[in-house]
Amino acid sequence: MSSFITRFAPSPTGDLHRGHAYSALLAFEAARAAGGTFLLRIEDIDSTRSRPQFEAHILEDLAWLGLRWPEPVRRQSEHMADYEAALERLRSANLVYRCFRTRQEVAQAMASAPHGPMEAYQGAPLPTDEEAERLARGEPFAWRLSLAAALEHLGPRLPLTFLEEGSGPAGETGEIRARPALGGDVVLARKDVGVAYHLAVVVDDALQGVTHVIRGEDLFEAAHVQRLLQALLGLPTPVYRHHRLLTGPDGRRYAKRDRAETLRALRQAGGSPESLRRELGL
Ligand code: GLU
């Protein structure tokens, strides 16, 4: 098996833009340079926002860019049992709790925390009888990691570190001390879809043998949270290479809302992958 495996992991909630092309090309070229493997993973757990036509467009756009990847592509929505198993491990170690709060209630709790506004939410399980009542009423709940329980559980294994071969938004590079508190009591299973981003990503990166995570620096903080989950689940930690984010002519980051800037629009307007690569400096 190759000792270098990386992945591009888009969510099919919109069409890809130049920023995605940059990220995908960096990962693809890094795999090629290392004689390794480039994987494509479709992060479609958010069934409320994912659309099959966006997935189809992603496959077309990446093939147009000249990227190739092994089939079958891993589609997160087809692997809910893997995420449920990971959640069960955390549940049986008493590291997660049910959270019935709405977004608004969470925001209020953060704003009115006794020691000043919280940066990341930390809550607590409900008393057993109240929880039983709410469950009996069929109230929806999310599963949250208990940061306090997690840190206590890891005890002597702290502090956690990871290797950053690229750089974070403030130029962070090299051996980084993880700050798991950045995520607070992070949601591991959403009320509506039964799993959440961080849990699915660490499970998949491990199951797919990903050795290098190459992605935008907007996900640098995510690495701190994901490092914690890797430690709790006994999963290996990949090397991280976060890259700068591209900005458009107006100086703003590319975003899915800018329709005119999509790769699809570029392709339909007769653009070529070669000129795009040149424009991206690749
Ligand atoms: N699916 C995430 C996104 O579209 C990327 C996840 C990752 O690279 O860890 O932004």
Side-chain angles (χ1 to χ4, degrees):
M1 211 168 90
S2 163
S3 58
F4 187 108
I5 302 179
T6 189
R7 71 343 183 247
F8 178 58
S11 304
T13 54
D15 283 331
L16 301 182
H17 51 66
R18 283 178 170 78
H20 293 113
Y22 184 63
S23 212
L25 282 164
L26 281 181
F28 184 78
E29 293 303 339
R32 179 145 71 183
T37 306
F38 168 83
L39 300 174
L40 174 63
R41 180 166 81 220
I42 300 293
E43 301 212 323
D44 61 348
I45 50 174
D46 188 344
S47 48
T48 61
R49 292 169 62 227
S50 296
R51 298 281 177 274
Q53 83 262 24
F54 290 132
E55 181 184 323
H57 295 175
I58 288 171
L59 300 178
E60 281 169 30
D61 289 343
L62 296 178
W64 172 79
L65 269 177
L67 308 195
R68 300 290 177 265
W69 51 87
E71 297 283 350
V73 162
R74 185 171 170 97
R75 207 173 275 117
Q76 289 187 324
S77 60
E78 295 169 355
H79 299 278
M80 296 301 276
D82 292 334
Y83 315 130
E84 179 51 39
L87 184 62
E88 180 51 35
R89 288 188 58 184
L90 299 174
R91 205 160 32 215
S92 55
N94 279 322
L95 300 176
V96 293
Y97 64 91
R98 291 186 183 87
C99 174
F100 292 85
R101 286 185 158 164
T102 61
R103 263 169 211 261
Q104 206 187 353
E105 286 166 348
V106 165
Q108 273 164 5
M110 285 173 72
S112 58
H115 306 291
M118 283 185 243
E119 265 182 63
Y121 179 72
Q122 281 186 257
L126 287 176
T128 324
D129 49 347
E130 187 182 343
E131 182 174 277
E133 251 173 56
R134 288 181 163 221
L135 284 174
R137 283 203 296 265
E139 285 186 33
F141 59 87
W143 285 102
R144 282 185 185 270
L145 180 71
S146 165
L147 178 67
L151 295 180
E152 193 183 315
H153 179 80
L154 290 174
R157 283 183 282 162
L158 293 170
L160 303 171
T161 60
F162 62 89
L163 184 61
E164 174 61 58
E165 286 185 348
S167 75
E172 302 91 334
T173 194
E175 190 76 16
I176 304 283
R177 182 185 275 219
R179 293 163 55 208
L182 284 176
D185 285 359
V186 70
V187 171
L188 299 181
R190 285 169 41 171
K191 281 181 184 175
D192 52 351
V193 294
V195 61
Y197 163 69
H198 291 296
L199 185 65
V201 165
V202 297
V203 167
D204 284 353
D205 283 341
L207 281 174
Q208 297 191 288
V210 169
T211 59
H212 290 72
V213 168
I214 300 172
R215 62 186 179 190
E217 66 180 24
D218 53 332
L219 289 171
F220 182 71
E221 279 199 7
H224 291 257
V225 178
Q226 291 168 12
R227 179 66 188 89
L228 173 65
L229 294 178
Q230 288 151 5
L232 295 171
L233 290 165
L235 304 175
T237 299
V239 170
Y240 289 91
R241 288 189 193 170
H242 290 91
H243 60 74
R244 71 187 173 90
L245 299 179
L246 296 187
T247 46
D250 59 358
R252 285 171 52 214
R253 281 184 197 173
Y254 287 112
K256 282 183 178 159
R257 59 183 176 273
D258 305 327
R259 292 231 160 172
E261 296 291 348
T262 64
L263 300 185
R264 194 170 170 76
L266 194 82
R267 191 148 60 85
Q268 284 165 351
S272 75
E274 293 74 26
S275 60
L276 178 60
R277 275 180 185 249
R278 268 197 304 279
E279 187 197 315
L280 298 175
L282 295 169

